[in-house]
Amino acid sequence: MAKIVIIGGGAAGLMCAAKSALNGNDVTVLEKMDRPARKLMITGKGRCNLTNATFELDDLISFVPTNPRFLYSAFSNFMPYDTMDLFEELGVPLKIERGNRVFPQSDKAVDIVDALVGYCKNSGAKIVHATAKAFECDGNKITAVILDDKTKITCDKVAICTGGKSYPLTGSTGDGYTLAKLVGHTVTEIKPSLVPLVCSNNFVPKLQGLSLKNISVKLFENDREIYSDFGEMLFTHYGVSGPVILSASSHIRNMGERQYKISIDLKPALDEQTLDRRIQKDFSEQSNKDFINSLNKLLPKKLIPVIVLLSGIEPSTKVNQITKQQRQSLVKLIKNLVVDISAFRPVEEAIVTSGGVNVKEIDPKTMKSKIIDNLYFAGEVIDVDAYTGGFNLQIAFSTAVLCAENM
């Protein structure tokens, strides 16, 4: 019976602990927060988007922009349908929503948390409220984990499952990076991913609180399109947020070095000619109205003054006096509202962290360190991250299961 210490009681740590204990090991989870899986409680706006019902391996890999090939073995070994089967067996009925996102039928993240914590404890693993601070080593082997109160826990094997640096109030404060560095691992640059974006346009604060549905966006890097998406977004006092924006943010790699902008198509279901005919129809029905009062059927109320301002058409112009050229410019503006991206919001506001323990130093077939003989990694502490939609939790579960099986 191997004595295993797992550092971090989040999604990866609890899954790893349960599977390791079921394999007959003596497993202790070190969790520094008063309750485990605090971050799971707030995922999916408190509903917990625990995986994505993408059942083909290559499709699953395509949703991972950072080091996707590293995850082939982990995903092959434990796919989203395995995650779904497990939680249903643990007594949590699931449902699939738009974009193949998987949620508990109850819409309560606490059901997933309770199931995972219960699975861990019922498997025989112990969850201890403690903070790992350092390691005691003999050559390139860890012999004990040193806690913040200087006590030691002897061990045969260790797994670092501490998560990243996003949502620090849930316990993700980058401890795993520090521990990995202590034993010779390198950590790539830590950046926010799946994070709201700051915009420099003067009109953006005027749109604060405006939520847009069924829009499409294109992300440009130095005028080259690098990503597109369809769905929902939100304007804030500092810039833009919402599902399509968070996904777009994971494609921004060189903020500050390169110019990024997002083009928003407010009417993606209509091509320019159809939209032009629609506007002509609206104008003809209210030909004596001022331009500022003529767009209520077409656009959300909060957006109208901004579109009028950007169009360059005088707000008091009667719509029957608007020229064809002005109207066609309006069409182009509605199909291509551009916001200039100046910065990420802080990493603390990110859903996941981009960057982490260098994947070149971890065996992808076992999750074992290539530097320390008895050290393993799972979850967000590794330099892998995916788009929004349940993929990042699937990474946590898949790497954790592979890690447990090889410990």
Side-chain angles (χ1 to χ4, degrees), residues 255-275:
M255 185 75 82
E257 297 170 33
R258 299 177 189 176
Q259 286 188 319
Y260 290 92
K261 64 184 179 184
I262 288 177
S263 164
I264 305 163
D265 184 346
L266 298 165
K267 296 291 175 184
L270 307 178
D271 60 24
E272 287 193 9
Q273 291 77 15
T274 310
L275 179 58

Side-chain angles (χ1 to χ4, degrees), residues 13 103 121 189 223 226 251 346-347 361 371 389:
F103 292 91
K121 289 178 176 175
E189 184 191 353
D223 294 324
I226 59 171
H251 291 265
V347 69
E361 300 167 0
I371 294 170

Side-chain angles (χ1 to χ4, degrees), residues 382-400:
I382 304 169
D383 183 17
V384 283
D385 61 273
Y387 302 149
T388 184
F391 299 104
N392 287 289
L393 270 177
Q394 185 59 46
I395 290 174
F397 295 139
S398 294
T399 54

